[in-house]
Amino acid sequence: MLLVSIAVLLLAVCSLAPASAADPADLRRVMAVGEVNGTTACTWDGNQVLDDTTWAPQPDYAFLGRSEPAAAPGAIDADILQMVGRLTVEEKVGQMAQIQVGQLVDCNGELNETAARYWIDTWKVGSFLETPANHGGRYSWYSPERFAAFTDAVQRVAVAHGAKIPVIWGLDSVRGANYVKGATIFPAGIATAATFDPQFAFDAGRVAAKDTRAAGVHWAFAPVLDLGVNKLWSRIYENFGEDPLLSSKMGVASVQGYQGDYKCDRSRVAACMKHFIGYGYPFDGSDRANRHIAGRELLEYYVPPFRAAIDAGVATAMESYGVVNGEAVMLSHYYLRQLLRQQLGFRGLLVTDWAEINSQATMYATARDVEQATRLAIQETSVDMSMVADDESFMRTTIDLVRRGVVAEARLDESVARVL
């Protein structure tokens, strides 16, 4: 009996380790039922409804003007370095991962705390993104109150489990907080640029930040600084046009509007310049198509808006989908370490776009498999966070690479320090 008890105890302990975790498909079948939320079956018909919570913005909301600079990323604080030193390899890798919110939604459209604990406790995930409305949530448009209730509940799990570090939540609030009910929606980037008025870009960013933060979200994936060169491109409307000077002026104002002193001001968010680099000139106009841009032209036209945003203190950056001049941006030492970090001096957090590491193997064939794509992304570039966004592949693979000595733990420390 004693031997059986010890065996059961060992099995329970081993099941907590990522390297021997249960099959993800089995776990998801269990997590799909919201038993933690008091139900044992799917009772919702799956039809989304409009959140009936009403929200009236403050009528006396005042702007501070553009004299307020953005809080730029700088040297890593000593307490952050101490924190990094206390983390395990698994906890470090988890801080470098971002998972989409649909992985936290149960079959009744509510938060599944079992799933939240799985990602946060088992895989130590440090960041989530998106709105439940896009990924199986009960409401087609979440009010700030319901959205914040969701994100706050996840935060309570985060500070009680795993590395006990609050998560960072990201959202595409590009033209206002369009995923938050009651938020002010602004013209798309191309229309904002048509005003030739940086103050308008600042105001749009300032209001978007306030409305985004009201939902418990700290990070806006904006502004879009791609140059809209190929008019056939399906995303031509998102950016500030094709002129480098105008895009730079609008980008700086936008960064200042979103960001300000975002670490202390709860009405601001961390801004994210995207997509670095050359995304706006797809060869045939189709999204993610190859780009052929002469080196001098890339530096003279495509780089200036990003340089201006860096000089203005933008906190984060997102790399670009696809290939530029035959080189996958996601795996490029030149674009993501030499150009971005060394030449432009960017010191903030660099996140991938959606599933872009895995896509090197599954879509572009620029890597043999997910392991090679992950290894090259970590070793060759300065990427800090993988927007995975649907599975455990990045965590599982990176932990294995470190344990086998293929990837140095010091490389993780570099990124985790920027994340924290």
Side-chain angles (χ1 to χ4, degrees):
M1 180 63 72
L2 179 59
L3 289 176
V4 172
S5 299
I6 292 174
V8 171
L9 179 60
L10 287 174
L11 179 62
V13 172
C14 290
S15 67
L16 296 177
S20 57
D23 180 76
D26 293 336
L27 282 167
R28 290 203 183 91
R29 279 193 288 272
V30 173
M31 292 190 298
V33 179
E35 72 282 356
V36 171
N37 297 327
T39 61
T40 57
C42 300
T43 58
W44 178 43
D45 63 7
N47 292 316
Q48 288 183 317
V49 297
L50 184 66
D51 187 342
D52 58 2
T53 305
T54 59
W55 180 52
Q58 286 294 106
D60 58 347
Y61 184 79
F63 297 109
L64 297 178
R66 288 189 60 199
S67 60
E68 182 185 15
I76 306 298
D77 295 338
D79 59 334
I80 295 297
L81 295 175
Q82 291 173 3
M83 186 185 300
V84 173
R86 291 194 297 266
L87 298 179
T88 65
V89 169
E90 291 79 8
E91 289 169 341
K92 291 175 183 177
V93 173
Q95 288 299 309
M96 296 173 64
Q98 187 176 59
I99 296 296
Q100 59 96 350
V101 66
Q103 299 294 334
L104 306 178
V105 177
D106 67 15
C107 61
N108 292 305
E110 305 289 352
L111 173 65
N112 187 338
E113 293 188 12
T114 302
R117 286 204 302 269
Y118 171 70
W119 290 111
I120 292 169
D121 203 13
T122 302
W123 293 106
K124 325 299 182 188
V125 168
S127 183
F128 295 93
L129 79 153
E130 269 274 21
T131 169
N134 288 349
H135 297 279
R138 181 178 288 269
Y139 303 98
S140 57
W141 207 14
Y142 279 69
S143 68
E145 290 86 349
R146 288 198 193 274
F147 205 143
F150 196 104
T151 58
D152 286 351
V154 175
Q155 293 289 12
R156 286 193 291 272
V157 175
V159 298
H161 298 275
K164 297 181 173 60
I165 298 173
V167 299
I168 311 169
W169 204 290
L171 191 63
D172 277 300
S173 296
V174 175
R175 49 180 301 188
N178 52 293
Y179 288 123
V180 180
K181 180 187 174 185
T184 302
I185 306 302
F186 291 89
I190 194 71
T192 297
T195 68
F196 289 90
D197 183 4
Q199 183 64 45
F200 183 85
F202 173 87
D203 292 345
R206 184 72 179 89
V207 174
K210 182 255 301 181
D211 293 347
T212 300
R213 196 64 183 263
V217 175
H218 331 91
W219 187 10
F221 299 133
V224 180
L225 300 181
D226 306 308
L227 290 188
V229 178
N230 191 336
K231 305 308 181 289
L232 300 175
W233 186 35
S234 58
R235 300 183 68 172
I236 191 67
Y237 61 91
E238 290 184 76
N239 53 73
F240 296 124
E242 63 182 345
D243 181 75
L245 178 61
L246 180 60
S247 183
S248 298
K249 297 292 186 182
M250 291 294 186
V252 167
S254 183
V255 167
Q256 292 173 338
Y258 279 103
Q259 198 164 295
D261 189 8
Y262 70 100
K263 293 185 180 181
C264 298
D265 185 344
R266 291 189 176 189
S267 68
R268 310 300 272 271
V269 294
C272 181
M273 63 178 191
K274 64 182 189 181
H275 307 80
F276 193 85
I277 182 98
Y279 187 35
Y281 192 21
F283 171 71
D284 59 2
S286 58
D287 195 37
R288 303 194 191 193
N290 292 349
R291 283 90 76 190
H292 307 294
I293 307 170
R296 179 198 57 77
E297 185 178 353
L298 186 83
L299 296 176
E300 187 171 345
Y301 293 99
Y302 294 83
V303 165
F306 291 96
R307 180 192 295 276
I310 293 170
D311 292 343
V314 68
T316 73
M318 183 182 295
E319 59 81 37
S320 173
Y321 285 124
V323 173
V324 174
N325 298 333
E327 185 172 3
V329 175
M330 182 64 260
L331 306 180
S332 173
H333 177 84
Y334 170 68
Y335 293 125
L336 299 187
R337 189 170 283 278
Q338 185 175 334
L339 179 58
L340 179 63
R341 300 289 189 183
Q342 297 173 9
Q343 295 185 30
L344 298 182
F346 179 62
R347 304 175 76 177
L349 183 157
L350 174 62
V351 63
T352 76
D353 212 326
W354 191 280
E356 191 64 353
I357 291 180
N358 287 3
S359 292
Q360 304 308 308
T362 61
M363 181 181 296
Y364 307 117
T366 53
R368 178 179 59 252
D369 51 29
V370 169
E371 178 181 317
Q372 185 184 48
T374 304
R375 177 180 63 80
L376 290 174
I378 295 174
Q379 289 182 327
E380 296 298 322
T381 81
S382 66
V383 67
D384 300 311
M385 183 180 288
S386 172
M387 191 186 290
V388 188
D390 290 308
D391 57 38
E392 307 86 345
S393 57
F394 176 80
M395 295 82 83
R396 191 184 301 276
T397 303
T398 306
I399 291 170
D400 180 63
L401 289 170
V402 174
R403 286 177 172 169
R404 290 193 284 119
V406 178
V407 170
E409 188 173 350
R411 170 62 184 88
L412 305 186
D413 294 347
E414 171 191 329
S415 284
V416 174
R418 285 195 286 259
V419 172
L420 296 180

